[in-house]
Amino acid sequence: MSEEMNEGIRLAAMGMGLVFCALLAFMLILFALRQFFPGEELPSEDNEDNPDQLKYRNPDNLYMTDNGDNQMKPEHDRTNPTGSNKAVVALAISTYLSMEELDTYKSEDGNAHSGWSKQSRNNVIDNQGARPDSFNEKPYSRYFPQDKTR
Amino acid sequence: MSEVLYGAFPDITIGAISMIAIALIMIYLGVSKNYEPLLLLPIGLGVLLANLPSTGIADDDGFLGIMRKAGLDNELFPLLMFLGVGALTDFTPLIQYPATVLLGAAAQVGIFASLALALFIGWDINNASAIGIIGSADGPTTIYVSTQLADPDIWGPIAVAAYSYMALVPIIQPPIMRLLTTKKERLVKMAYPSRVTSYKARVSFPIIVIILASLIAPKSAPLVGMLMFGNLLREVGVVDRLAKATQNELINITTIFLGLTVGSTMTAERFLNTSTMEIFAIGLFAFAIATVAGILFGKVMYYASKGKINPLIGAAGVSAVPMAARVAHKLGRDEDPNTWLIMHAMGPNIAGVLGSAIAGGVILGTLA
């Protein structure tokens, strides 16, 4: 075996050893950091003694119904499932409430209208009666192509 | 006179035409196939510009030559890239699952196995080490080490091999992962943490790593230092402007410069030879061995933890952030759509970045 080959094998053995030692040291430091600076408990409806808590934290069980069946499985990644789940619910509720907020004025029929009807009315006015754009398709021009203006 | 009449057409060679074709393939793969477009597009354009005859763009006094001397010959660009990578990296999964750090170490076997293979084939030890570092699956580390150890003729092929195989991780890894794991192992669902990661832990970690890594492998200090400095900017929360600058402007500008300059080293006389083929073959071997080592160590942890750790996440130890972690996650989901491994796989994935920087530092400390 040549001198260079020997040197290479020595380098490989030493290199792997040092990489393992370094990452082992990092691992111990990480355990120590977790010990010294423990983070807050993840928010959960369940209390600490409840054995179902682990189930709740596991993203597979986030959408469990009362009888334990998985009914709905979202397709997106959920790296922080508990937080994102609540955020989505909060967003949905906030949107719903803002749309349900009644107008301060009353229409001719004397009834108050919610944001939904106001938005529908605005959409009709904005579209000028044109057909709405299809989802994921190129919009149809509302303008005549002759004048080439948009 | 002929230059005025015929332009550069008389100077064009078969080699230059071949390199222009390779440049166009790189641009095509980046743009149409989405294979690492951020790197393959600038590298491809660098190759194209450097091989257009009679332009002098890639000569020492050409603009690509000036950029190469300013940032590649002195290893500045890879370090700036690492600063941006650090600012983009979230070490939380590593702090949440400390044991997965060891998977990042196991995957570095690819570096040293391919180093031995390159030596066996007949490369000298400096070039063999630079070729072996392709197994780190980490672009900046590969370029940083190769520019210090290897002949300038092989800088380009090494960088292109590293980035090409990183883009091909979803093709290279899955067959190996399926071959080495059983269905039962792939179906393991790992528990999620019960606590969030504390601010103090996230801020302390980069500082401790800089000190410790510099003491263990002093030559890794520039790489680890920049990586962790970038991460510190992200985590401290009081220098958002700097964190955003490193995550966006700095890394984007450096990517353009690094890609163009690496591409400019790939001229026909340097690239079109059997050495390039050997480098690509050894690079593929390095990726495969790194995956095998990661998976096998994952299996060890699976048995040691009595079936609580899914061995698929071991393959994520090869770096290639975040592609390798996504591959592990996808393979788990292929077996059972209810399996979610992405968070767990990010731990070894990030540990792989740290491990490869330390491996590079050890090699440089021994040979440079």
Side-chain angles (χ1 to χ4, degrees), chain A residues 20-110:
Chain A
F20 255 103
C21 285
L23 291 190
L24 192 66
F26 292 158
M27 188 183 80
L28 296 175
I29 286 165
L30 287 170
F31 276 118
L33 282 175
R34 274 162 46 114
Q35 198 68 30
F36 290 128
F37 307 123
E40 291 173 16
E41 281 281 329
L42 279 170
S44 166
E45 285 97 20
D46 306 320
N47 62 39
E48 199 57 50
D49 302 326
N50 189 344
D52 289 339
Q53 189 163 13
L54 186 62
K55 277 187 179 177
Y56 177 77
R57 284 177 190 140
N58 189 333
D60 303 329
N61 300 310
L62 281 175
Y63 298 90
M64 287 181 107
T65 54
D66 288 341
N67 61 7
D69 293 328
N70 291 334
Q71 284 208 323
M72 187 173 72
K73 293 290 177 190
E75 286 301 310
H76 61 277
D77 288 343
R78 286 167 289 146
T79 51
N80 184 6
T82 311
S84 65
N85 190 32
K86 286 187 173 175
V88 170
V89 173
L91 194 66
I93 291 171
S94 145
T95 309
Y96 178 77
L97 288 177
S98 67
M99 294 304 283
E100 275 299 298
E101 199 173 76
L102 298 182
D103 289 346
T104 50
Y105 70 93
K106 292 193 174 183
S107 61
E108 288 172 8
D109 57 14

Side-chain angles (χ1 to χ4, degrees), chain B residues 99-108 294 297-298 301 309-311 313-314 317-318 348 351:
Chain B
T100 60
V101 172
L102 294 178
L103 293 168
Q108 306 314 315
F297 202 81
M301 291 183 78
I309 290 179
N310 190 319
I313 66 168
V318 300

